[in-house]
Structure formats: C-alpha cells, structure tokens
Amino acid sequence: MDLTDAQRFAFDALDLIGAFAFAVSGALAAVRRGFDVVGIAMLACCTAFGGGIVRDVLIGAVPPAAFHDLRYLATALVAAALIILWHPPPRLAGAPLDAADAIGLGLYCVTGTVKALEYGLGPVPAALMGVATAVGGGMLRDLLTARTPSVLRRDSEIYLVPALVGASATSLVTVAGAYSWWTASLAGLGAIALRLLALRFHLRAPLARGGRDRTEG
Amino acid sequence: MDLTDAQRFAFDALDLIGAFAFAVSGALAAVRRGFDVVGIAMLACCTAFGGGIVRDVLIGAVPPAAFHDLRYLATALVAAALIILWHPPPRLAGAPLDAADAIGLGLYCVTGTVKALEYGLGPVPAALMGVATAVGGGMLRDLLTARTPSVLRRDSEIYLVPALVGASATSLVTVAGAYSWWTASLAGLGAIALRLLALRFHLRAPLARGGRDRTEG
Amino acid sequence: MDLTDAQRFAFDALDLIGAFAFAVSGALAAVRRGFDVVGIAMLACCTAFGGGIVRDVLIGAVPPAAFHDLRYLATALVAAALIILWHPPPRLAGAPLDAADAIGLGLYCVTGTVKALEYGLGPVPAALMGVATAVGGGMLRDLLTARTPSVLRRDSEIYLVPALVGASATSLVTVAGAYSWWTASLAGLGAIALRLLALRFHLRAPLARGGRDRTEG
C-alpha cells in the first residue's frame, strides 16, 4: 500500500500529535516521581518513541523514524520543556497524565496500524501491530517509573480495548480503501473517547474466577 | 539450512506447544497478581511471544512469526481462556506456573536454536539465540509483574543451565545433520527434565565469594 | 562511511573495553543483590550487550555483533569470572560499580555513534544512537535489579549529559573526517572524565519547578 500525499500528511499529523501527547504523559510521570530535568526529557522521549520504535523494528523499518526524522525529537523535547516550565503539583499530575496518555493511545493505534499495512502486513497482523504501538510507550514509561503497567493492573480502567477497537477500525477502513484524514481521525477520536469514558465511569474488565482471593505471593 | 516438511512440522509443533506452555505460565502469573481478564490475556501473550519476538528481531526475521502466523495468537488466547475459566487459587498458582514455565523453557531453547541455524547463524551463536529465546518471555513476564526474573534470583533453582544444555544439544545434533522430530523432542524433554529436577531437588548455582554477606543497598 | 583497518582496530578495542567495563558493572550489581554465579554471568552479559544489541537492531545490523562475534561473549564472561573470584563486600560495591559504568558509558557513546555513521545514518541520528548505546545496557541492568535507572533518578549525578557530549564530539570529528584512534579515545576519555567529575562533585541536573514537593503517588 502506498500513501498519497494527503494520506501521508494525515499520518504525520496524527503521529506527531500522538508523540506530543505521550511525551507530555512521560514528562508528567517523571515530575510525579521527582526526576530532574534530564530525567524528565529522557522519560518524555522514551514514552513518545517507545511504541513507534517497537513497531518500526518489528516491521523492519529501521532505523526507526524517531531517530532519522528529527521532528519527533523536537516534538518530544518541546513537550518536556513545556511540562518543566509549567506543571501541576506532582500529587495532582495523575488526571492530566491519564488524559495525555489516552490521546497518545488513540492516535498511535491508528498510525501504528497504517504503517504496518504500508509495510505489507495483512489486516489482522497490522491491527496487532497498531495495538503494540499504542501500548508500548506507556508500558515502557510505567516500567521505568517502577509501576505495574496500566494495561495489566486490575484496578485500572480498560486500556487495551480502546486500542484494539481503534486499530481494528483503522485496519478495516484502510483495507476497504477508505483511509483518509477523516476516517483516520475518526478512528483515533473513537479510541480516545472510549478510553476517557472508561476512566470517567471506571469501566473495568471482569476478573477471572477467584480473582478476588488474591495473594501477592 | 532448509527444513524438510517433516522437520518443519516438528518445529511448528514444538514451538506452538512451547507458546501454549508459556502462555499458561503468564496467565497464572497474572492470576496470582489479581489482574483482570484483559491483563491475563495480555500477559499470556507477552510471555508466549516475548522470547520468539526477541529472537526473530535479532536474526532479522521480521515481522516476527507471532504477528503474521495467527496460530500463535490463537494458541496464547486459548491458553489464557482456559486459565481464566479454571485456575488454582492464586496462592497455589506457583507450582503449576513453574511447571508450565519449565515446558516452555525446554521447548523454546530447541526451536530458538533451530530457527537461528535456519537463518544462517553458526552453531555457537545459534545456541545463544536459543537461550535468549527460552529465557526472554519469562524475563518479560517477571518484569511486568514486578518480580526479579528467576534466571537472576539467588533463591531460585538453576534456570539458565537447562536452557543452555538443551540449546547446545540441539545445535550439535542439527549441525551433525541429525535434526529430526525425535532428536528435537529429546533435547527439549531433556531440558524440561533438568529444570523440573532442579525445582524438585532445589538445585541452585553456587554463590560468589562473600555472597552471603549481602546488603540490598 | 568505511573504516580503514586502523580505524576498525580502534573501534574494536574501545568497544571491547567498554563491554568489559559494563560487564564488571553488571557483575558487581549482581553481587550487591546476592545473585548466584549464573545470575552474575547473566547480568554481566545483559549489561555488556544490552546497549549494543539495541543499537544493532535499530540500525539493521542483525544478528548483532554480541551474538556472532564471540570475543564479546568471552570478554563478558571473563569479567564475570574475575568479579566472582574477587569482589568487594556487597555493601562497598557501589563505587567500583559506578566507575566501571562510567568507563562503559564513555566508550559506548563513541562506538555507538561510529557504528551508526558506518551504517549510513546522518550526524544527529548517529549521535542519538550513540547515546542509546551508552545508556541502554545500564538501564537494562537497573531494570533487572529492580532499581530506577540512574539516567532518570533525581538523586543521581548527571549521566545522560556526558554520553551526549561524547557522542556529539564523535559525530562531529567523524563527519569532519578526523576520526582516528586518538580522536575517538579522546572523546571517550572526555565523556568518562565528565561522568567521574559529576560523581565526585555531585553535579546534578536542576529539578523542574515544584519538583521538591513530590509525592510518590
């Protein structure tokens, strides 16, 4: 699949906005842990680039865009600088962090899927790659700040499902030849809305039988 | 090295059984930590695919099999579903988790080595790749559930050694032209038996001089 | 860019000394946590190879050198054996660990940059790749021993900056055609000196506004 110029512009715009959002979430997580300014910039970059680097390595698009397309580095560093200059008190950073993470999650599940399709993957593998792109950066951020990733925790609202819905929708519309600025944005906004609704109304996935009787052992 | 149809069948069977076993171990680890059903499915997939994805990326076999061969995803999701429907109480999940992990370890050290040889690596690098394949998924599972990986902990029975023995044996028989369903299974069963014996009889590697005088500092 | 024989020799020497230094730091970190001898060897290898494997995967140089060039494995295992036979008491391992880590950091930021340039990356992406090479192994070591990586912690002396300075200097001199044994060593020694000075005089990056009011939330 080859992208037209308009489709390429839509891809770049959504991917850079996603990188900005994830960089903000990484910078806020760093602020919450009291990291210094270098640690904040570093965690912003790891969060913004983590998912995309994993995707690019897995589809063979090396070196990854985050390394040779310097707009990504500039975007992440601007986000980190903004958070260094202005951020909520660390104990109130949770809500904006979750919101920024939701935006990154929604946009990356779209762009991850599109780039995988562009590199010749089938619709189902491409959607899986979109999910990996969407959750990869956040998982790295959580590992590096010693938190169990949201995508796994029982006390966290559904996280994987919005990414899966957005990636599947993107894969479907693209394979149907209807990929455009509007459909891509719609899929991304749908995934973001789903994640924000899950956060707002505390939608959680069910536990396995006996899951309540847990021991940390 | 090219595989015959029979050798390919043996490879696929052992690799899928290994994926199933690792998916079970990941799902049990998720149950033990009280993750919800999405978290269980996610951790089952990460554990089942982690080692193979690392191997495929390192030998240049991208996109990795776990993404384009959907039998792997189906296998991991079936394993997760079975554990969601039926599992021991979380505090008793340790022994079945260790057993499933031993099966995955033993089979992946064989298939990891064979695939690396197939991609043109020499016998020693291929055996190292087999070890990385065998221990990779379990390390990812342990990192994602905030445990120090078994392969490293002092209070854990030998883990790397069975993988190293199985991978070396596989590399030797394959280079000698004796790779077949039987020799591959034998190498895998040998590694599994070694790991289970280590667990049963608490075989541990020696500590370094002064290791007893540890501080966590 | 093609390396002459003399440049290749300089590259190999610096890269292997860096691998040795990182292996020592990994082995000492393992001793400090009371790992057994297999865990010590394993963590030495992960630390020594981590950054280089990440770099090689990202620039498409697969299988990574650490797998097919067995001098790296031999170097890491010799370092692990030396630390197993002789090491300070675990509670005093911090200072030699930091010194070994500084040497690895300084040399890997040089060799990482040079290898990326050799594979056709531009000067800025190559310097970023050098930084990723330099900090990758140490981050993996810290994750595997359940510590927040030094590159992120607020109470740690500047870590990323020496790597960035060394990688940028290497990129500049190489693009200017002045890459040689002497300039490469000088860039490496400069980065090492900067890191050791930071440790000695407790040079830390500033905190973000309000960073003092942190909660671990």
Side-chain angles (χ1 to χ4, degrees), chain B:
Chain B
M1 185 184 97
D2 284 321
L3 298 184
T4 65
D5 281 359
Q7 288 175 331
R8 165 68 50 206
F9 175 78
F11 178 89
D12 283 359
L14 296 179
D15 212 40
L16 286 168
I17 298 171
F20 186 86
F22 267 134
V24 166
S25 85
L28 286 170
V31 162
R32 188 159 67 172
R33 291 295 302 263
F35 290 169
D36 61 33
V37 296
V38 174
I40 294 173
M42 182 82 185
L43 195 60
C45 289
C46 286
T47 311
F49 306 154
I53 289 177
V54 166
R55 174 200 59 205
D56 289 354
V57 165
L58 292 180
I59 62 178
V62 290
F67 281 90
H68 66 73
D69 183 341
L70 295 177
R71 293 178 301 174
Y72 288 92
L73 184 63
T75 299
L77 292 180
V78 166
L82 289 177
I83 295 298
I84 288 168
L85 291 174
W86 184 90
H87 59 79
R91 70 180 182 285
L92 298 180
L97 192 166
D98 282 340
D101 183 78
I103 297 173
L105 181 79
L107 298 181
Y108 269 27
C109 72
V110 173
T111 58
T113 305
V114 171
K115 188 157 185 181
L117 288 167
E118 197 188 344
Y119 272 75
L121 273 71
V124 175
L128 291 177
M129 210 62 90
V131 172
T133 310
V135 305
M139 284 176 79
L140 187 58
R141 177 195 64 217
D142 294 343
L143 278 180
L144 290 173
T145 53
R147 298 171 69 86
T148 300
S150 304
V151 69
L152 295 173
R153 287 211 316 277
R154 71 180 306 195
D155 60 341
S156 72
E157 290 72 18
I158 54 169
Y159 189 94
L160 191 72
V161 174
L164 198 54
V165 169
S168 306
T170 304
S171 196
L172 280 177
V173 300
T174 308
V175 169
Y179 171 71
S180 73
W181 169 253
W182 295 109
T183 52
S185 303
L186 207 66
L189 288 175
I192 295 169
L194 205 51
R195 171 67 181 151
L196 291 177
L197 284 172
L199 284 168
R200 177 71 185 77
F201 296 106
H202 300 293
L203 305 180
R204 292 178 186 173
L207 297 178
R209 255 192 356 91
R212 218 161 277 274
D213 167 36
R214 78 162 165 175
T215 54
E216 285 291 328

Side-chain angles (χ1 to χ4, degrees), chain C residues 1 7 170-180 183:
Chain C
M1 183 185 100
Q7 287 175 332
T170 304
S171 197
L172 281 177
V173 298
T174 308
V175 169
Y179 170 71
S180 72
T183 51

